[in-house]
Amino acid sequence: MRYYLLLIYCFLTFSGFSQKSDPNAKADSVTYYLELSNFHKDNFSFEKALSFAKKAQALSEKNKFKKNLADSYLAIGGIFYQLSKTDLAVENLIRALSIYNTLTPSPNQAYCYYSLGLSYLDKKNYNLADNYFNKAANEYQQINIPDAVDLITLQKGIILKQKGNKELAVKNFKTIVNKDNSDNLFETKSEAYYQLAEIMKAQNRDGAIKYLEKAYAISKENTNNTQKLKIIKRLSELHDQNNASNQSLLYLKQFVRLRDSIMGIRNKTIGSPVYEKFIADDQLRAIDKMNKESSIQEKSVKFSKLISILSIALISILSLLSLSLYKNNIIRTKTNQLLKDKNLELETAKEKAEKASKARAEFLSTVSHELRTPLNAINGITHILLEDNPKPEQMHYLNSLKFSGNYLLTFINDILEINRVESDVVEVEKIPFDLRELLENILNSFTEIANKNKTVYHLQIDEKIPSTLIGDPTKLSQVFINLINNAIKFTKKGDVWISATLVKEKAKSVKIYFEVKDTGIGIPKEKQETIFDSFTQGSVEINRKYGGTGLGLAIVKRLVHILGGKIKLESEINKGCTFFFDLSFKVSEKKIVKKPEIVYEDSWLDGKNILLVEDNKINQMITQKMLERKNMSCFIIENGEDAVNHLKENKYDLVLMDVHLPGINGTTATAEIRKFDTETPIVALTAISLDENREMLLSFGMNEVITKPFNPDKFYEIIAVTIHQKLNTV
């Protein structure tokens, strides 16, 4: 794989680096240094290659040659990649990409995306690798380099193979091997045959050998000895497994000769670890800079002494003026009395404002809670109608109804959430969690929408951050979901960066700087002070074009405050936004034990008897229909007292208990049932309000909670998993 990086790099050096983009002699020197760097890298003399690349970088920075500076970082990244220093390679490639994105599209920019794809493929981060390969493919198609697109097809096939999707991987590899031979395609076809053999060797060893022989025949047409080496080795192994000892021995001898030849070349050229010398040189430059700053500070100290002398003189003068302040004491006493009177008035006004705020919160909570019941009917009936094979002309109306219901549900949830975080009932959890896993999972959930918007996201997590922190992962997830969703939504064909950097470390705690940056539409200066207010967006036009409730950033601001931080914003129109904040966490010494995910099957629901305790007739009908669609039987009771008496004499696989019932409510009924029946699973049905939460409902003996309006998939999943867990514990 590393040889493909070298192949494209050689092509770009010929087509890009050798061209004089600037007649200036200094720009020519940069190009010359980069050509020397590439020559020494081709001959495995990485120390010299890195030295010339650094000279090119320094000269480009000094003279502000943007393109040449990007080319220099690209060259350094390529060298570190060949030295297997993937993290250093990624760091330099991202620096190059940040500059290329400000220039017109070029082969070097496409190659930079491709190199990042290879780097993340080595790091086994297949989603990011796939993202970068897609970006590279788009660039290569625009600048018409078809052979590079074939290389990307090969790498995407390797990703599919690693993910276990062998069918699509084989399709990618066969697309390449079926092409006509050309000088630029020999290595690509050879690698494609090798990958086909790797997939086939477990089921059809003879077929795998045939693919390898084709790969070996093609590899003779190029100079990539590393590729030949792995093909010969695999041929020897497969012939040995077929008991063809002579053939196996023949290939083994070829393998040993070629390996010894390669090792001889590398031992003469590589020498001591190059990257260590590179880092040491950077550190020396940093020390020199610190010495210069120290000299400046010494001059500052002398100046400070002079200021101190002048300050003493000034204090003497001010002492004389203090006499006049005595006369002001009488006036001050009178003023203080007036201030006390005003403070009493302000306290009274504050109490009234707090009461008004509380009344507002209770009103919004009640309204959002009461809206859930009819909304459950709308969404439920829509779901049932969509599954009843409606007429084609009815699909548009039903889908519009479904979209409107989901939008209204999101709006209601945001209203409930903003009231919850502004109330005093919010508690901060302190549980162990893995920050890297949390951010990666959030980003993976946005892969589809990012690809749709042609947005590339980058995740940068400081390696110094401990693997397990103690905090509130739920609230932290809400913050990043809102920020990343906004960044991707307002960034078309751009980039989004998510970074976490360690800024302070103590014995058992750390302080981390978080940043979400995008290259989207930006926020006007006049809107930046109010953008975190409820129901606020950049403009009416933005609301019409992109939608949204205008509550996301208000929720984010409050959650960050609850977690102990303060979110800030930097933005410029058409250049993007940067949201950033600091949070402190304690460090956990224990590793997180991951619970296995349970994937339910419809067979778990087949034939199950369900008791539904619900007083609303429409909800009864919808819930019964949804249960019967999965071959479950449903018996309905309308109040808590009857449900308690009924369960004393009847058995069910599961009870769906509405929380708000006439007479005794669902929580009281559950507590009564648990006095004589501790085994039957009970799942709460609730249009959850401000003073309700999952933990409170579970404390009455309920096994799980389903929130109205129902999400059909989540509805069936909770019922199936709850019944399955009960059966496995019996």
Side-chain angles (χ1 to χ4, degrees), residues 85-354:
K85 298 298 173 186
T86 312
D87 289 335
L88 286 173
V90 168
E91 179 181 338
N92 283 279
L93 290 170
I94 287 178
R95 287 178 181 174
L97 188 59
S98 66
I99 299 173
Y100 283 135
N101 286 339
T102 65
L103 306 173
T104 56
S106 66
N108 290 3
Q109 181 182 9
Y111 167 63
C112 193
Y113 279 122
Y114 178 78
S115 301
L116 280 166
L118 289 179
S119 299
Y120 280 109
L121 184 58
D122 278 7
K123 289 164 73 71
K124 295 183 171 55
N125 191 332
Y126 302 122
N127 287 331
L128 270 179
D130 193 49
N131 246 337
Y132 281 118
F133 285 136
N134 286 335
K135 198 74 174 178
N138 290 336
E139 294 290 326
Y140 279 129
Q141 286 173 354
Q142 288 181 21
I143 58 180
N144 194 22
I145 303 180
D147 290 343
V149 175
D150 291 331
L151 272 176
I152 293 170
T153 302
L154 174 68
Q155 302 305 332
K156 289 173 77 66
I158 293 172
I159 291 174
L160 289 167
K161 187 187 82 170
Q162 294 293 343
K163 287 185 174 181
N165 195 339
K166 294 182 179 179
E167 258 182 50
L168 283 177
V170 167
K171 185 177 179 182
N172 274 32
F173 297 140
K174 286 190 175 180
T175 298
I176 296 170
V177 300
N178 289 334
K179 290 196 172 187
D180 294 331
N181 287 334
S182 68
D183 291 341
N184 295 330
L185 200 59
F186 283 127
E187 287 185 34
T188 311
K189 289 186 71 173
S190 178
E191 181 65 18
Y193 275 122
Y194 177 84
Q195 294 295 337
L196 286 169
E198 287 295 285
I199 294 173
M200 184 177 287
K201 68 182 181 183
Q203 290 82 22
N204 186 351
R205 198 177 297 141
D206 291 332
I209 289 173
K210 288 181 180 178
Y211 277 132
L212 287 171
E213 287 173 347
K214 289 181 180 180
Y216 182 49
I218 294 174
S219 71
K220 293 178 181 178
E221 301 295 329
N222 59 69
T223 60
N224 186 351
N225 288 328
T226 305
Q227 188 181 47
K228 291 177 189 175
L229 200 64
K230 69 178 183 180
I231 294 170
I232 295 170
K233 182 182 178 183
R234 186 68 75 232
L235 277 167
S236 176
E237 291 171 353
L238 293 182
H239 278 301
D240 182 60
Q241 292 171 12
N242 274 354
N243 295 321
S245 301
N246 291 335
Q247 285 293 100
S248 175
L249 183 60
L250 177 65
Y251 283 116
L252 183 60
K253 287 179 179 178
Q254 292 182 35
F255 171 80
V256 172
R257 282 199 302 271
L258 187 56
R259 182 196 61 187
D260 291 344
S261 173
I262 293 171
M263 292 302 294
I265 294 171
R266 290 191 177 181
N267 288 336
K268 290 178 182 178
T269 55
I270 292 177
S272 60
V274 179
Y275 73 94
E276 291 181 1
K277 185 176 184 301
F278 170 76
I279 293 172
D281 289 343
D282 276 356
Q283 290 175 342
L284 286 173
R285 282 192 288 273
I287 291 170
D288 183 62
K289 183 179 178 182
M290 290 173 63
N291 288 336
K292 291 179 180 178
E293 290 176 351
S294 177
S295 176
I296 294 171
Q297 286 179 351
E298 287 179 3
K299 294 180 181 178
S300 177
V301 169
K302 292 179 181 178
F303 183 75
S304 297
K305 289 181 179 179
L306 177 61
I307 294 297
S308 298
I309 295 171
L310 294 174
S311 298
I312 292 171
L314 182 60
I315 291 171
S316 300
I317 296 171
L318 291 174
S319 298
L320 297 174
L321 295 175
S322 63
L323 294 174
S324 64
L325 295 176
Y326 175 77
K327 296 180 180 180
N328 293 330
N329 285 338
I330 297 173
I331 299 172
R332 186 182 303 163
T333 302
K334 294 179 180 179
T335 304
N336 287 341
Q337 185 59 45
L338 289 172
L339 288 174
K340 287 180 181 179
D341 295 337
K342 289 294 182 183
N343 284 338
L344 288 173
E345 293 177 8
L346 289 173
E347 287 177 3
T348 303
K350 179 185 174 184
E351 290 176 1
K352 291 180 179 179
E354 287 175 349

Side-chain angles (χ1 to χ4, degrees), residues 395-442:
M395 285 296 296
H396 173 72
Y397 300 107
L398 291 174
N399 284 326
S400 297
L401 185 61
K402 181 181 179 182
F403 173 83
S404 299
N406 290 335
Y407 181 88
L408 183 57
L409 176 59
T410 301
F411 187 70
I412 291 170
N413 287 339
D414 282 350
I415 291 175
L416 189 61
E417 185 62 25
I418 195 66
N419 276 286
R420 187 186 302 281
V421 298
E422 287 181 354
S423 69
D424 295 327
V425 300
V426 179
E427 293 183 1
V428 178
E429 285 186 309
K430 293 183 179 179
I431 60 174
F433 72 100
D434 187 330
L435 178 62
R436 289 176 179 80
E437 183 181 12
L438 181 142
L439 292 177
E440 287 174 357
N441 288 341
I442 291 173

Side-chain angles (χ1 to χ4, degrees), residues 360 410-422 426 474-483 486 530-536 549-563 565 567 581:
R360 164 187 164 274
T410 301
F411 187 70
I412 291 170
N413 287 339
D414 282 350
I415 291 175
L416 189 61
E417 185 62 25
I418 195 66
N419 276 286
R420 187 186 302 281
V421 298
E422 287 181 354
V426 179
T474 303
K475 292 181 179 61
L476 191 61
S477 295
Q478 285 180 272
V479 171
F480 278 103
I481 286 170
N482 274 293
L483 291 178
N486 279 351
T530 60
I531 198 67
F532 291 101
D533 295 342
S534 299
F535 304 101
T536 299
T549 62
L551 292 172
L553 289 179
I555 293 171
V556 165
K557 179 182 178 181
R558 182 59 182 166
L559 287 174
V560 172
H561 175 74
I562 290 170
L563 294 172
I567 191 164
F581 55 94

Side-chain angles (χ1 to χ4, degrees), residues 60-84:
S60 299
E61 287 178 337
K62 182 179 179 180
N63 293 283
K64 298 182 179 179
F65 297 149
K66 288 181 68 175
K67 181 183 179 302
N68 290 346
L69 181 58
D71 293 341
S72 302
Y73 281 130
L74 179 60
I76 294 169
I79 295 167
F80 279 127
Y81 180 81
Q82 285 195 258
L83 288 170
S84 299

Side-chain angles (χ1 to χ4, degrees), residues 109 135 137-138 229 256 273 280 362 447-448 474 485 583 655 674 703:
Q109 181 182 9
K135 198 74 174 178
N138 290 336
L229 200 64
V256 172
E362 290 175 352
T447 298
E448 184 176 348
T474 303
N485 181 59
L583 291 179
V655 177
R674 288 302 182 219
N703 299 79

